[in-house]
Coordinates of all heavy atoms in Angstrom, one line a residue:
M1 N -14.2 -10.3 -2.4 CA -13.7 -9.4 -3.4 C -14.1 -9.9 -4.8 O -14.0 -11.0 -5.1 CB -12.2 -9.2 -3.3 CG -11.7 -7.9 -3.9 SD -10.1 -7.4 -3.3 CE -9.1 -8.7 -4.1
K2 N -14.4 -8.9 -5.7 CA -14.9 -9.3 -7.0 C -13.8 -9.5 -8.0 O -14.1 -10.1 -9.1 CB -15.9 -8.3 -7.5 CG -17.2 -8.3 -6.7 CD -18.2 -7.2 -7.1 CE -19.5 -7.4 -6.3 NZ -20.4 -6.3 -6.5
I3 N -12.7 -9.0 -7.7 CA -11.6 -9.1 -8.6 C -10.7 -10.4 -8.3 O -10.5 -10.6 -7.1 CB -10.7 -7.9 -8.6 CG1 -11.5 -6.6 -8.9 CG2 -9.5 -8.0 -9.6 CD1 -12.1 -6.5 -10.3
R4 N -10.4 -11.1 -9.3 CA -9.6 -12.3 -9.0 C -8.3 -12.3 -9.8 O -8.1 -11.6 -10.8 CB -10.3 -13.6 -9.4 CG -11.5 -13.8 -8.5 CD -12.2 -15.1 -8.9 NE -13.5 -15.1 -8.3 CZ -14.5 -15.9 -8.7 NH1 -14.3 -16.7 -9.8 NH2 -15.6 -15.9 -8.0
K5 N -7.4 -13.1 -9.4 CA -6.1 -13.3 -10.1 C -6.4 -13.7 -11.5 O -7.2 -14.6 -11.7 CB -5.3 -14.4 -9.3 CG -3.8 -14.3 -9.5 CD -3.3 -15.3 -8.4 CE -1.8 -15.6 -8.7 NZ -1.2 -16.4 -7.7
G6 N -5.7 -13.1 -12.4 CA -5.8 -13.4 -13.8 C -6.8 -12.6 -14.6 O -6.9 -12.6 -15.8
D7 N -7.6 -11.8 -13.8 CA -8.6 -10.9 -14.5 C -7.9 -9.8 -15.2 O -6.8 -9.3 -14.8 CB -9.5 -10.2 -13.4 CG -10.5 -11.1 -12.9 OD1 -10.8 -12.2 -13.5 OD2 -11.1 -10.8 -11.8
T8 N -8.5 -9.3 -16.3 CA -8.0 -8.1 -16.9 C -8.8 -6.9 -16.5 O -10.0 -7.0 -16.4 CB -8.1 -8.2 -18.5 OG1 -7.3 -9.4 -18.9 CG2 -7.5 -7.0 -19.2
V9 N -8.1 -5.9 -16.0 CA -8.8 -4.7 -15.5 C -8.4 -3.4 -16.1 O -7.3 -3.3 -16.7 CB -8.6 -4.6 -13.9 CG1 -9.2 -5.8 -13.2 CG2 -7.1 -4.5 -13.6
L10 N -9.3 -2.4 -16.0 CA -9.0 -1.1 -16.5 C -8.7 -0.2 -15.3 O -9.4 -0.3 -14.3 CB -10.3 -0.6 -17.2 CG -10.2 0.9 -17.8 CD1 -9.3 0.9 -19.0 CD2 -11.6 1.3 -18.2
I11 N -7.7 0.6 -15.4 CA -7.3 1.5 -14.3 C -8.0 2.8 -14.4 O -8.0 3.4 -15.5 CB -5.7 1.8 -14.4 CG1 -4.9 0.5 -14.7 CG2 -5.3 2.4 -13.1 CD1 -5.1 -0.6 -13.8
L12 N -8.6 3.2 -13.3 CA -9.5 4.4 -13.4 C -8.9 5.6 -12.8 O -9.3 6.7 -13.0 CB -10.8 4.1 -12.6 CG -11.7 2.9 -13.0 CD1 -12.8 2.7 -12.1 CD2 -12.2 3.2 -14.4
S13 N -7.8 5.5 -12.1 CA -7.2 6.7 -11.5 C -5.6 6.6 -11.4 O -5.1 5.5 -11.6 CB -7.8 7.0 -10.1 OG -7.4 6.0 -9.2
G14 N -5.0 7.7 -11.1 CA -3.5 7.6 -10.9 C -2.9 7.8 -12.3 O -3.5 8.1 -13.3
K15 N -1.6 7.7 -12.3 CA -0.8 7.9 -13.5 C -1.0 6.9 -14.6 O -0.7 7.2 -15.7 CB 0.7 8.1 -13.2 CG 1.4 6.9 -12.6 CD 2.8 7.2 -12.4 CE 3.5 6.1 -11.5 NZ 3.8 4.8 -12.1
D16 N -1.6 5.8 -14.2 CA -1.8 4.7 -15.2 C -3.3 4.7 -15.7 O -3.7 3.7 -16.3 CB -1.4 3.3 -14.6 CG 0.1 3.2 -14.4 OD1 0.8 3.6 -15.3 OD2 0.5 2.8 -13.3
R17 N -4.0 5.8 -15.4 CA -5.4 5.8 -15.7 C -5.6 5.5 -17.2 O -4.9 6.0 -18.1 CB -6.0 7.2 -15.4 CG -7.4 7.3 -15.7 CD -8.1 8.5 -15.1 NE -7.1 9.6 -14.8 CZ -7.5 10.9 -14.6 NH1 -8.7 11.2 -14.8 NH2 -6.6 11.8 -14.3
G18 N -6.6 4.7 -17.5 CA -6.9 4.4 -18.9 C -6.2 3.2 -19.4 O -6.5 2.6 -20.5
R19 N -5.2 2.7 -18.7 CA -4.4 1.5 -19.1 C -5.1 0.2 -18.6 O -5.9 0.2 -17.7 CB -3.0 1.6 -18.6 CG -2.2 2.7 -19.3 CD -0.8 2.7 -18.7 NE -0.1 1.4 -19.0 CZ 1.0 1.0 -18.5 NH1 1.6 1.8 -17.6 NH2 1.6 -0.1 -18.8
K20 N -4.7 -0.8 -19.3 CA -5.3 -2.1 -18.9 C -4.2 -3.0 -18.5 O -3.0 -2.9 -18.9 CB -6.0 -2.8 -20.1 CG -7.2 -2.1 -20.6 CD -7.7 -2.7 -21.9 CE -8.8 -1.9 -22.4 NZ -9.2 -2.3 -23.8
G21 N -4.5 -4.0 -17.6 CA -3.5 -4.9 -17.1 C -4.1 -6.1 -16.5 O -5.3 -6.2 -16.3
R22 N -3.3 -7.1 -16.3 CA -3.7 -8.4 -15.8 C -3.4 -8.4 -14.3 O -2.3 -8.1 -13.9 CB -3.0 -9.5 -16.5 CG -3.6 -10.9 -16.3 CD -3.0 -11.9 -17.3 NE -1.5 -11.9 -17.1 CZ -0.9 -12.7 -16.3 NH1 -1.5 -13.6 -15.6 NH2 0.5 -12.7 -16.3
V23 N -4.3 -8.9 -13.5 CA -4.1 -9.0 -12.1 C -3.2 -10.2 -11.8 O -3.5 -11.3 -12.2 CB -5.5 -9.2 -11.3 CG1 -5.3 -9.4 -9.8 CG2 -6.4 -8.0 -11.6
I24 N -2.1 -9.9 -11.0 CA -1.2 -11.0 -10.7 C -1.2 -11.4 -9.3 O -0.8 -12.4 -8.9 CB 0.3 -10.7 -11.2 CG1 0.7 -9.3 -10.7 CG2 0.4 -10.8 -12.7 CD1 2.2 -9.0 -11.0
E25 N -1.8 -10.5 -8.4 CA -1.9 -10.9 -7.0 C -3.1 -10.1 -6.4 O -3.4 -9.0 -6.7 CB -0.6 -10.6 -6.3 CG -0.4 -11.5 -5.1 CD 1.0 -11.4 -4.6 OE1 1.9 -10.8 -5.2 OE2 1.2 -11.8 -3.4
T26 N -3.8 -10.8 -5.5 CA -4.9 -10.1 -4.8 C -4.7 -10.2 -3.3 O -4.2 -11.1 -2.7 CB -6.3 -10.7 -5.1 OG1 -6.3 -12.1 -4.7 CG2 -6.6 -10.7 -6.6
F27 N -5.2 -9.1 -2.6 CA -5.1 -9.0 -1.2 C -6.6 -8.7 -0.7 O -6.9 -7.5 -0.4 CB -4.2 -7.9 -0.7 CG -2.8 -8.1 -1.2 CD1 -2.4 -7.4 -2.3 CD2 -1.9 -9.0 -0.6 CE1 -1.1 -7.5 -2.9 CE2 -0.6 -9.1 -1.1 CZ -0.2 -8.4 -2.2
P28 N -7.4 -9.7 -0.6 CA -8.8 -9.5 -0.3 C -9.1 -8.7 1.0 O -10.0 -7.9 1.0 CB -9.4 -10.9 -0.2 CG -8.5 -11.8 -1.0 CD -7.1 -11.1 -0.8
K29 N -8.3 -9.0 2.0 CA -8.5 -8.3 3.3 C -8.3 -6.8 3.2 O -8.9 -6.0 3.9 CB -7.6 -8.9 4.4 CG -8.2 -10.2 4.9 CD -7.3 -10.9 5.9 CE -7.8 -12.3 6.2 NZ -6.8 -13.1 6.9
K30 N -7.3 -6.5 2.4 CA -7.0 -5.1 2.3 C -7.7 -4.4 1.1 O -7.7 -3.2 0.9 CB -5.5 -4.9 2.0 CG -4.6 -5.2 3.2 CD -3.1 -5.1 2.8 CE -2.2 -5.6 4.0 NZ -0.8 -5.7 3.5
G31 N -8.4 -5.2 0.3 CA -9.1 -4.7 -0.8 C -8.2 -4.1 -1.9 O -8.4 -3.1 -2.6
R32 N -7.0 -4.8 -2.0 CA -6.0 -4.3 -3.0 C -5.6 -5.4 -3.9 O -5.6 -6.6 -3.6 CB -4.8 -3.7 -2.2 CG -5.1 -2.4 -1.5 CD -4.0 -2.0 -0.6 NE -4.1 -0.5 -0.4 CZ -3.4 0.4 -1.0 NH1 -2.4 0.0 -1.8 NH2 -3.6 1.6 -0.8
V33 N -5.1 -5.0 -5.1 CA -4.6 -5.9 -6.0 C -3.3 -5.4 -6.7 O -3.0 -4.2 -6.7 CB -5.6 -6.2 -7.2 CG1 -6.8 -6.9 -6.6 CG2 -5.9 -4.9 -7.9
I34 N -2.5 -6.4 -7.1 CA -1.3 -6.0 -7.9 C -1.6 -6.3 -9.4 O -2.0 -7.4 -9.7 CB 0.0 -6.7 -7.4 CG1 0.3 -6.2 -6.0 CG2 1.2 -6.5 -8.3 CD1 1.5 -6.8 -5.4
I35 N -1.3 -5.3 -10.2 CA -1.6 -5.5 -11.7 C -0.3 -5.4 -12.4 O 0.6 -4.5 -12.2 CB -2.6 -4.4 -12.2 CG1 -3.9 -4.5 -11.4 CG2 -2.9 -4.7 -13.6 CD1 -4.6 -3.3 -11.2
E36 N -0.1 -6.4 -13.3 CA 1.2 -6.4 -14.1 C 1.5 -5.1 -14.8 O 0.6 -4.6 -15.6 CB 1.0 -7.6 -15.1 CG 2.2 -8.1 -15.7 CD 1.9 -9.3 -16.6 OE1 1.0 -9.2 -17.4 OE2 2.6 -10.3 -16.4
G37 N 2.6 -4.6 -14.5 CA 3.1 -3.4 -15.3 C 2.4 -2.1 -14.9 O 2.6 -1.0 -15.5
I38 N 1.5 -2.1 -13.8 CA 0.8 -0.9 -13.4 C 1.2 -0.5 -12.0 O 1.5 -1.3 -11.2 CB -0.7 -1.3 -13.4 CG1 -1.3 -1.7 -14.8 CG2 -1.6 -0.1 -12.8 CD1 -1.2 -0.6 -15.8
N39 N 1.3 0.9 -11.9 CA 1.7 1.5 -10.6 C 3.1 1.0 -10.2 O 3.3 0.6 -9.1 CB 0.6 1.1 -9.5 CG 0.7 2.0 -8.3 OD1 1.2 3.2 -8.4 ND2 0.3 1.6 -7.2
L40 N 4.0 1.1 -11.1 CA 5.3 0.7 -10.9 C 6.0 1.6 -9.9 O 5.9 2.8 -10.0 CB 6.1 0.6 -12.2 CG 5.7 -0.4 -13.2 CD1 6.5 -0.3 -14.4 CD2 5.8 -1.8 -12.6
R41 N 6.7 1.0 -9.0 CA 7.5 1.8 -8.0 C 9.0 1.4 -8.1 O 9.2 0.2 -8.2 CB 7.0 1.5 -6.6 CG 5.6 2.0 -6.3 CD 5.7 3.6 -6.1 NE 4.4 4.1 -6.4 CZ 3.3 4.2 -5.6 NH1 3.5 3.8 -4.4 NH2 2.2 4.7 -6.0
K42 N 9.8 2.4 -8.0 CA 11.2 2.0 -8.1 C 11.7 1.5 -6.7 O 11.3 2.1 -5.7 CB 12.1 3.2 -8.5 CG 12.0 3.5 -9.9 CD 13.0 4.5 -10.3 CE 13.0 4.8 -11.8 NZ 11.8 5.4 -12.3
K43 N 12.4 0.5 -6.7 CA 12.8 -0.1 -5.5 C 14.4 -0.3 -5.5 O 14.9 -0.8 -6.5 CB 12.1 -1.4 -5.2 CG 12.2 -1.8 -3.8 CD 11.4 -3.1 -3.5 CE 11.6 -3.5 -2.1 NZ 10.9 -4.8 -1.8
H44 N 15.0 0.2 -4.5 CA 16.4 0.0 -4.4 C 16.8 -1.3 -3.8 O 16.3 -1.6 -2.7 CB 17.1 1.2 -3.7 CG 16.9 2.5 -4.3 ND1 17.8 3.1 -5.1 CD2 15.8 3.3 -4.4 CE1 17.3 4.3 -5.5 NE2 16.1 4.4 -5.1
V45 N 17.5 -2.1 -4.5 CA 17.9 -3.4 -3.9 C 19.4 -3.3 -3.5 O 20.3 -3.0 -4.3 CB 17.7 -4.5 -5.0 CG1 18.1 -5.9 -4.4 CG2 16.3 -4.5 -5.4
R46 N 19.6 -3.6 -2.3 CA 21.0 -3.5 -1.7 C 21.7 -4.8 -2.1 O 21.2 -5.8 -2.3 CB 20.9 -3.4 -0.2 CG 20.5 -2.1 0.3 CD 20.5 -2.0 1.8 NE 20.0 -0.7 2.3 CZ 20.8 0.4 2.3 NH1 22.1 0.3 1.9 NH2 20.3 1.5 2.7
P47 N 23.0 -4.6 -2.3 CA 23.8 -5.8 -2.6 C 23.8 -6.8 -1.5 O 23.8 -6.4 -0.3 CB 25.2 -5.2 -2.8 CG 25.2 -3.9 -2.2 CD 23.8 -3.4 -2.2
K48 N 23.7 -8.1 -1.9 CA 23.6 -9.1 -0.8 C 25.0 -9.5 -0.4 O 25.2 -9.9 0.8 CB 22.8 -10.3 -1.4 CG 21.4 -10.1 -1.5 CD 20.6 -11.3 -2.0 CE 19.2 -11.0 -2.3 NZ 18.8 -11.1 -3.7
R49 N 25.9 -9.5 -1.3 CA 27.3 -9.8 -0.9 C 28.2 -8.7 -1.3 O 27.9 -7.9 -2.2 CB 27.7 -11.1 -1.6 CG 27.3 -12.4 -1.0 CD 27.6 -13.5 -1.9 NE 26.4 -14.2 -2.3 CZ 26.1 -14.5 -3.6 NH1 27.0 -14.2 -4.5 NH2 25.0 -15.1 -3.9
S50 N 29.3 -8.6 -0.6 CA 30.3 -7.6 -1.0 C 30.8 -7.9 -2.4 O 31.0 -9.0 -2.8 CB 31.4 -7.5 0.0 OG 32.1 -8.7 0.0
G51 N 31.0 -6.8 -3.2 CA 31.4 -7.1 -4.6 C 30.2 -7.0 -5.5 O 30.4 -6.7 -6.7
E52 N 29.0 -7.2 -5.0 CA 27.8 -7.1 -5.9 C 27.4 -5.6 -5.9 O 27.6 -4.9 -4.9 CB 26.7 -7.9 -5.3 CG 26.6 -9.3 -5.9 CD 25.4 -10.1 -5.3 OE1 24.5 -9.5 -4.7 OE2 25.5 -11.3 -5.5
K53 N 26.7 -5.3 -7.0 CA 26.2 -3.9 -7.0 C 24.8 -3.8 -6.6 O 24.0 -4.8 -6.9 CB 26.4 -3.4 -8.5 CG 27.7 -2.8 -8.8 CD 27.7 -2.2 -10.2 CE 29.1 -1.6 -10.5 NZ 29.2 -1.3 -11.9
G54 N 24.4 -2.7 -5.9 CA 23.0 -2.5 -5.6 C 22.3 -2.1 -6.9 O 23.0 -1.6 -7.8
Q55 N 21.0 -2.3 -7.1 CA 20.4 -1.9 -8.3 C 19.0 -1.4 -8.0 O 18.4 -1.6 -6.9 CB 20.4 -3.0 -9.3 CG 20.0 -4.4 -8.7 CD 20.0 -5.5 -9.8 OE1 19.8 -5.2 -11.0 NE2 20.2 -6.7 -9.4
I56 N 18.4 -0.7 -9.0 CA 17.1 -0.2 -8.9 C 16.2 -1.1 -9.7 O 16.4 -1.2 -10.9 CB 17.0 1.3 -9.3 CG1 17.9 2.1 -8.4 CG2 15.6 1.8 -9.2 CD1 18.1 3.5 -8.9
V57 N 15.2 -1.7 -9.1 CA 14.2 -2.4 -9.9 C 12.8 -1.8 -9.8 O 12.5 -1.2 -8.8 CB 14.2 -3.9 -9.5 CG1 15.5 -4.6 -9.8 CG2 13.9 -4.0 -8.0
E58 N 12.1 -2.0 -10.9 CA 10.7 -1.5 -10.8 C 9.7 -2.6 -10.6 O 9.8 -3.7 -11.2 CB 10.4 -0.9 -12.2 CG 11.0 0.5 -12.3 CD 10.3 1.3 -13.5 OE1 10.0 0.7 -14.5 OE2 10.2 2.5 -13.3
R59 N 8.9 -2.4 -9.6 CA 8.0 -3.4 -9.2 C 6.6 -2.8 -9.1 O 6.4 -1.7 -8.6 CB 8.3 -4.0 -7.8 CG 9.6 -4.8 -7.8 CD 9.4 -6.1 -7.0 NE 10.7 -6.8 -6.9 CZ 11.5 -6.8 -5.9 NH1 11.2 -6.2 -4.8 NH2 12.6 -7.5 -5.9
P60 N 5.6 -3.6 -9.5 CA 4.2 -3.0 -9.4 C 3.8 -3.0 -7.9 O 4.0 -4.0 -7.2 CB 3.3 -4.0 -10.2 CG 4.1 -5.2 -10.4 CD 5.6 -4.9 -10.2
A61 N 3.2 -1.9 -7.5 CA 2.7 -1.7 -6.1 C 1.2 -2.0 -6.1 O 0.6 -1.8 -7.1 CB 3.0 -0.3 -5.6
P62 N 0.7 -2.5 -5.0 CA -0.7 -2.7 -4.9 C -1.6 -1.5 -5.1 O -1.2 -0.4 -4.8 CB -1.0 -3.2 -3.5 CG 0.4 -3.6 -3.0 CD 1.4 -2.7 -3.7
I63 N -2.7 -1.7 -5.8 CA -3.7 -0.6 -5.9 C -5.0 -1.0 -5.4 O -5.4 -2.1 -5.4 CB -3.7 0.1 -7.4 CG1 -4.9 -0.3 -8.2 CG2 -2.5 -0.4 -8.1 CD1 -4.9 0.6 -9.5
N64 N -5.8 0.0 -5.0 CA -7.1 -0.2 -4.4 C -8.1 -0.7 -5.4 O -8.1 -0.1 -6.5 CB -7.6 1.1 -3.7 CG -8.6 0.8 -2.6 OD1 -9.7 0.4 -2.9 ND2 -8.2 1.0 -1.4
V65 N -9.0 -1.7 -5.1 CA -9.9 -2.2 -6.1 C -10.9 -1.1 -6.5 O -11.6 -1.2 -7.6 CB -10.7 -3.4 -5.6 CG1 -9.8 -4.6 -5.6 CG2 -11.3 -3.2 -4.2
S66 N -11.1 -0.1 -5.7 CA -12.1 1.0 -6.1 C -11.5 1.8 -7.3 O -12.2 2.6 -7.9 CB -12.4 1.9 -4.9 OG -11.2 2.5 -4.5
N67 N -10.2 1.6 -7.5 CA -9.6 2.4 -8.6 C -9.5 1.6 -9.9 O -8.8 2.0 -10.9 CB -8.2 2.9 -8.2 CG -8.2 3.9 -7.1 OD1 -9.2 4.6 -7.0 ND2 -7.2 3.8 -6.3
I68 N -10.1 0.4 -9.9 CA -10.1 -0.4 -11.1 C -11.5 -0.9 -11.5 O -12.4 -0.9 -10.7 CB -9.1 -1.6 -11.0 CG1 -9.6 -2.5 -9.8 CG2 -7.7 -1.2 -10.8 CD1 -8.8 -3.8 -9.7
K69 N -11.6 -1.3 -12.7 CA -12.8 -1.9 -13.2 C -12.5 -3.1 -14.0 O -11.6 -3.1 -14.8 CB -13.6 -0.9 -14.1 CG -15.1 -0.9 -13.9 CD -15.7 0.3 -14.6 CE -17.2 0.4 -14.3 NZ -17.8 1.4 -15.0
L70 N -13.3 -4.2 -13.8 CA -13.1 -5.4 -14.5 C -13.5 -5.3 -16.0 O -14.5 -4.7 -16.3 CB -13.9 -6.5 -13.9 CG -13.7 -7.9 -14.4 CD1 -12.4 -8.5 -14.0 CD2 -14.8 -8.8 -14.0
I71 N -12.6 -5.9 -16.8 CA -13.0 -5.9 -18.2 C -13.5 -7.3 -18.5 O -12.9 -8.3 -18.2 CB -11.8 -5.6 -19.1 CG1 -11.4 -4.1 -18.9 CG2 -12.1 -5.9 -20.6 CD1 -10.1 -3.7 -19.6
C72 N -14.7 -7.4 -19.0 CA -15.4 -8.6 -19.3 C -14.7 -9.4 -20.4 O -14.3 -8.9 -21.4 CB -16.8 -8.3 -19.7 SG -17.7 -9.8 -20.2
S73 N -14.4 -10.7 -20.1 CA -13.7 -11.5 -21.1 C -14.7 -11.9 -22.3 O -14.2 -12.3 -23.3 CB -13.2 -12.8 -20.4 OG -14.2 -13.4 -19.7
K74 N -16.0 -11.7 -22.1 CA -16.9 -12.0 -23.1 C -17.2 -10.9 -24.1 O -17.1 -11.0 -25.3 CB -18.3 -12.5 -22.5 CG -18.1 -13.8 -21.7 CD -18.6 -15.0 -22.5 CE -18.2 -16.3 -21.9 NZ -18.7 -16.5 -20.6
C75 N -17.5 -9.7 -23.5 CA -17.9 -8.6 -24.4 C -16.8 -7.5 -24.5 O -16.8 -6.6 -25.3 CB -19.2 -7.9 -23.9 SG -19.1 -7.1 -22.3
G76 N -15.7 -7.6 -23.6 CA -14.6 -6.7 -23.7 C -14.8 -5.3 -23.2 O -14.0 -4.4 -23.4
K77 N -15.9 -5.1 -22.5 CA -16.2 -3.8 -21.9 C -15.9 -3.8 -20.4 O -15.9 -4.8 -19.7 CB -17.7 -3.5 -22.1 CG -18.1 -3.2 -23.5 CD -19.6 -3.1 -23.6 CE -20.1 -2.9 -25.0 NZ -21.5 -3.2 -25.1
A78 N -15.5 -2.6 -20.0 CA -15.3 -2.4 -18.6 C -16.6 -2.4 -17.9 O -17.6 -1.7 -18.3 CB -14.6 -1.0 -18.3
T79 N -16.8 -3.3 -16.9 CA -18.1 -3.5 -16.4 C -18.1 -3.7 -14.9 O -17.1 -3.8 -14.2 CB -18.7 -4.8 -17.0 OG1 -20.0 -5.0 -16.5 CG2 -17.9 -6.0 -16.6
R80 N -19.3 -3.6 -14.3 CA -19.5 -4.0 -12.9 C -19.8 -5.5 -12.9 O -20.2 -6.1 -13.8 CB -20.6 -3.2 -12.3 CG -20.2 -1.8 -12.0 CD -21.2 -1.1 -11.1 NE -22.5 -1.0 -11.8 CZ -23.6 -1.4 -11.1 NH1 -23.6 -1.8 -9.9 NH2 -24.8 -1.3 -11.7
V81 N -19.5 -6.1 -11.7 CA -19.6 -7.5 -11.6 C -20.8 -7.8 -10.7 O -21.1 -7.2 -9.7 CB -18.4 -8.1 -10.9 CG1 -18.5 -9.6 -10.7 CG2 -17.1 -7.8 -11.7
G82 N -21.6 -8.8 -11.2 CA -22.7 -9.3 -10.4 C -22.5 -10.8 -10.0 O -21.5 -11.4 -10.5
Y83 N -23.3 -11.3 -9.2 CA -23.2 -12.7 -8.9 C -24.5 -13.4 -9.2 O -25.6 -12.9 -9.1 CB -22.9 -12.9 -7.4 CG -21.5 -12.5 -7.0 CD1 -21.2 -11.4 -6.4 CD2 -20.5 -13.5 -7.3 CE1 -19.9 -11.1 -6.0 CE2 -19.2 -13.2 -7.0 CZ -18.9 -12.0 -6.3 OH -17.6 -11.7 -6.0
K84 N -24.3 -14.7 -9.6 CA -25.5 -15.5 -9.8 C -25.2 -16.8 -9.2 O -24.1 -17.3 -9.2 CB -25.6 -15.7 -11.4 CG -27.0 -16.0 -11.8 CD -27.0 -16.1 -13.3 CE -28.3 -16.6 -13.8 NZ -28.4 -16.8 -15.3
T85 N -26.3 -17.4 -8.6 CA -26.1 -18.7 -7.9 C -27.0 -19.7 -8.6 O -28.2 -19.4 -8.9 CB -26.4 -18.6 -6.4 OG1 -27.5 -17.8 -6.2 CG2 -25.3 -18.1 -5.6
E86 N -26.4 -20.8 -8.8 CA -27.2 -21.9 -9.4 C -26.9 -23.1 -8.5 O -25.8 -23.7 -8.5 CB -26.8 -22.3 -10.8 CG -27.8 -21.8 -11.8 CD -27.3 -22.0 -13.2 OE1 -26.5 -23.0 -13.5 OE2 -27.6 -21.2 -14.1
G87 N -27.9 -23.5 -7.7 CA -27.7 -24.5 -6.7 C -26.6 -24.1 -5.7 O -26.8 -23.0 -5.1
K88 N -25.6 -24.8 -5.6 CA -24.5 -24.5 -4.7 C -23.4 -23.7 -5.4 O -22.5 -23.1 -4.8 CB -23.8 -25.7 -4.1 CG -24.7 -26.3 -3.0 CD -24.0 -27.5 -2.4 CE -24.8 -28.0 -1.2 NZ -24.3 -29.3 -0.6
K89 N -23.5 -23.6 -6.7 CA -22.5 -22.9 -7.5 C -22.7 -21.4 -7.6 O -23.8 -21.0 -7.9 CB -22.4 -23.5 -8.9 CG -21.1 -23.3 -9.6 CD -21.1 -23.9 -11.0 CE -20.2 -23.2 -11.9 NZ -20.6 -23.1 -13.3
K90 N -21.7 -20.6 -7.3 CA -21.9 -19.2 -7.4 C -20.9 -18.7 -8.4 O -19.7 -19.0 -8.3 CB -21.6 -18.6 -6.0 CG -21.9 -17.1 -5.9 CD -21.5 -16.7 -4.4 CE -21.8 -15.2 -4.3 NZ -21.4 -14.7 -3.0
Y91 N -21.3 -17.9 -9.3 CA -20.4 -17.4 -10.3 C -20.6 -15.9 -10.6 O -21.7 -15.4 -10.3 CB -20.3 -18.2 -11.5 CG -21.6 -18.5 -12.2 CD1 -22.1 -17.6 -13.2 CD2 -22.3 -19.7 -11.9 CE1 -23.3 -17.9 -13.8 CE2 -23.5 -19.9 -12.6 CZ -24.0 -19.0 -13.5 OH -25.2 -19.2 -14.1
R92 N -19.6 -15.3 -11.2 CA -19.7 -13.9 -11.5 C -20.3 -13.7 -12.8 O -20.0 -14.4 -13.8 CB -18.3 -13.3 -11.4 CG -17.6 -13.5 -10.1 CD -16.2 -12.8 -10.1 NE -15.4 -13.3 -11.1 CZ -14.2 -12.8 -11.5 NH1 -13.8 -11.7 -10.8 NH2 -13.5 -13.3 -12.4
I93 N -21.1 -12.6 -12.9 CA -21.6 -12.3 -14.3 C -21.3 -10.8 -14.6 O -21.1 -10.0 -13.7 CB -23.1 -12.6 -14.4 CG1 -23.9 -11.8 -13.3 CG2 -23.4 -14.0 -14.4 CD1 -25.3 -11.7 -13.6
C94 N -21.2 -10.6 -15.9 CA -21.0 -9.3 -16.4 C -22.3 -8.5 -16.4 O -23.3 -9.1 -16.8 CB -20.4 -9.3 -17.8 SG -20.5 -7.8 -18.7
K95 N -22.3 -7.3 -15.8 CA -23.6 -6.6 -15.7 C -24.0 -6.1 -17.1 O -25.2 -5.7 -17.3 CB -23.4 -5.4 -14.8 CG -23.3 -5.8 -13.3 CD -24.6 -5.6 -12.6 CE -24.3 -5.8 -11.1 NZ -25.5 -5.8 -10.3
K96 N -23.1 -6.1 -18.0 CA -23.5 -5.5 -19.4 C -24.0 -6.6 -20.3 O -25.0 -6.4 -20.9 CB -22.2 -4.8 -20.0 CG -22.0 -3.5 -19.3 CD -21.3 -2.5 -20.1 CE -21.3 -1.2 -19.4 NZ -19.9 -0.5 -19.3
C97 N -23.3 -7.7 -20.4 CA -23.7 -8.7 -21.4 C -24.3 -10.0 -20.7 O -24.8 -10.9 -21.3 CB -22.6 -9.2 -22.3 SG -21.3 -10.1 -21.4
K98 N -24.3 -9.9 -19.4 CA -24.9 -11.0 -18.5 C -24.1 -12.4 -18.7 O -24.6 -13.4 -18.3 CB -26.4 -11.3 -18.8 CG -27.2 -10.0 -18.8 CD -27.4 -9.5 -17.4 CE -28.2 -8.2 -17.4 NZ -28.0 -7.4 -16.1
G99 N -23.0 -12.3 -19.3 CA -22.2 -13.5 -19.5 C -21.4 -13.9 -18.3 O -21.2 -13.0 -17.4
E100 N -21.1 -15.1 -18.2 CA -20.4 -15.6 -17.0 C -18.9 -15.2 -17.2 O -18.4 -15.3 -18.3 CB -20.5 -17.2 -16.9 CG -19.8 -17.7 -15.7 CD -20.0 -19.2 -15.6 OE1 -20.8 -19.8 -16.3 OE2 -19.2 -19.8 -14.9
I101 N -18.3 -14.7 -16.1 CA -16.9 -14.3 -16.2 C -16.0 -15.3 -15.6 O -16.3 -15.7 -14.4 CB -16.7 -12.9 -15.5 CG1 -17.6 -11.8 -16.1 CG2 -15.2 -12.5 -15.7 CD1 -17.6 -10.5 -15.3
Ligands
ZN1 ZN1 -19.7 -8.7 -20.7

């Protein structure tokens, strides 16, 4: 998967379209990521002990990587990701500015 934890991405679809956020978790097998503050879902939390109140918390739900685009840390543009190998080292490059991401 081309998106990694800590990347800043642009949301391309859904109610958060056009917003940017930081990737806080990735699920490479499912092709999904969780982005900070994006795709929030309300979740009802039941009280753990009697006397405690249940509450509603908002948590970001995973979104498909096809619905996001990486924002290059070098040029700041939403871009596609390429790969470059030098010897044994493989790294990601921005398709727009060719900079290492
Ligand atoms: Zn770039």
